[in-house]
Amino acid sequence: KEKIITIPSAVDMGAFSVNGQKFDFDKRNIHIPQGVPIITYIGKAHKNKGLIEILEALSGINSDFRLLLVSNGALLDLLFTKAHELGIADKLVHLGFLPPWEIPNVLRSSDLLIQLENNFSIPIHGPQQPYEAIACQTPLLLSMEIFKKIQMRFPAKPKNMIVVSDPKDINSLKNALSDFFASPPHYKEGASEI
């Protein structure tokens, strides 16, 4: 008789916590001015990830920021082209993929992690990064699709995260980002209550 065992996602709380080092941008010759919010995306640059939409939404924001891409993938060249067209190419920081032991430092350095996956072709699949961000007390901007996947395994409440129903709705993304930029400490406090 065959046995089926389900192993839930786990986060190494020794590595992923609010305590620990932040990512050393200077070591990679990247200068991010003190106090400038870092919005981070970790994952493959592919369609249905909300990446073009986040660029369009960020281009309408009158605050300084850096969009940190811990990413490679088919859409990367298009992202850089779009960022140039929108006049925000100087705000993109591309690290490529990093080894897993550097991800906690990236999350501790981030003011907001974005996961805007929408209509993903494998419905059961969901990224691990939101759970790791929760452990590091990094605020989250999520698509409703990702939020529902998290809720199935973790008792999260929307008040502790920024959730957009449709990540293809640029105005909705702009409003969510405007709320975040109005008070990043408020969202950091909310992330600590998850």
Side-chain angles (χ1 to χ4, degrees), residues 6-43:
T6 302
I7 301 172
S9 293
V11 173
D12 178 355
M13 297 301 286
F16 292 93
S17 73
V18 71
N19 301 314
Q21 295 180 4
K22 293 190 174 191
F23 189 77
D24 188 353
F25 290 102
D26 291 332
K27 187 176 175 181
R28 294 180 182 259
N29 294 320
I30 298 169
H31 176 70
I32 298 177
Q34 184 73 21
V36 170
I38 299 172
I39 300 167
T40 301
Y41 172 75
I42 301 172

Side-chain angles (χ1 to χ4, degrees), residues 171-190:
N171 285 330
S172 177
L173 279 175
K174 278 184 188 175
N175 290 338
L177 289 164
S178 293
D179 288 347
F180 166 75
F181 281 115
S183 183
H186 166 77
Y187 287 98
K188 190 71 168 173
E189 183 180 311

Side-chain angles (χ1 to χ4, degrees), residues 84-101:
H84 279 284
E85 289 172 6
L86 295 169
I88 59 170
D90 60 325
K91 297 182 183 299
L92 262 59
V93 177
H94 178 238
L95 293 179
F97 282 125
L98 293 174
W101 55 87

Side-chain angles (χ1 to χ4, degrees), residues 49-63:
K49 300 283 188 167
L51 296 172
I52 296 295
E53 292 82 1
I54 200 72
L55 288 178
E56 290 180 13
L58 283 167
S59 73
I61 299 292
N62 290 327
S63 297

Side-chain angles (χ1 to χ4, degrees), residues 105-174:
N105 299 353
V106 168
L107 289 171
R108 283 189 286 270
S109 299
S110 301
D111 296 288
L112 186 68
L113 177 73
I114 57 170
Q115 290 289 317
L116 298 172
E117 198 169 275
N118 193 30
N119 296 319
F120 193 67
S121 59
I122 308 168
I124 196 167
H125 170 73
Q128 180 71 11
Q129 291 86 13
Y131 303 103
E132 295 167 346
I134 289 167
C136 291
Q137 297 181 10
T138 303
L140 294 162
L141 171 57
L142 304 172
S143 65
M144 183 58 75
E145 181 174 314
I146 294 296
F147 178 72
K148 285 179 179 179
K149 289 177 181 181
I150 289 172
Q151 271 193 319
M152 289 176 14
R153 296 189 278 171
F154 190 83
K157 297 178 183 169
K159 76 173 189 79
N160 300 107
M161 305 170 189
I162 306 168
V163 180
V164 291
S165 296
D166 179 7
K168 294 190 180 295
D169 180 349
I170 306 303
N171 285 330
S172 177
L173 279 175
K174 278 184 188 175

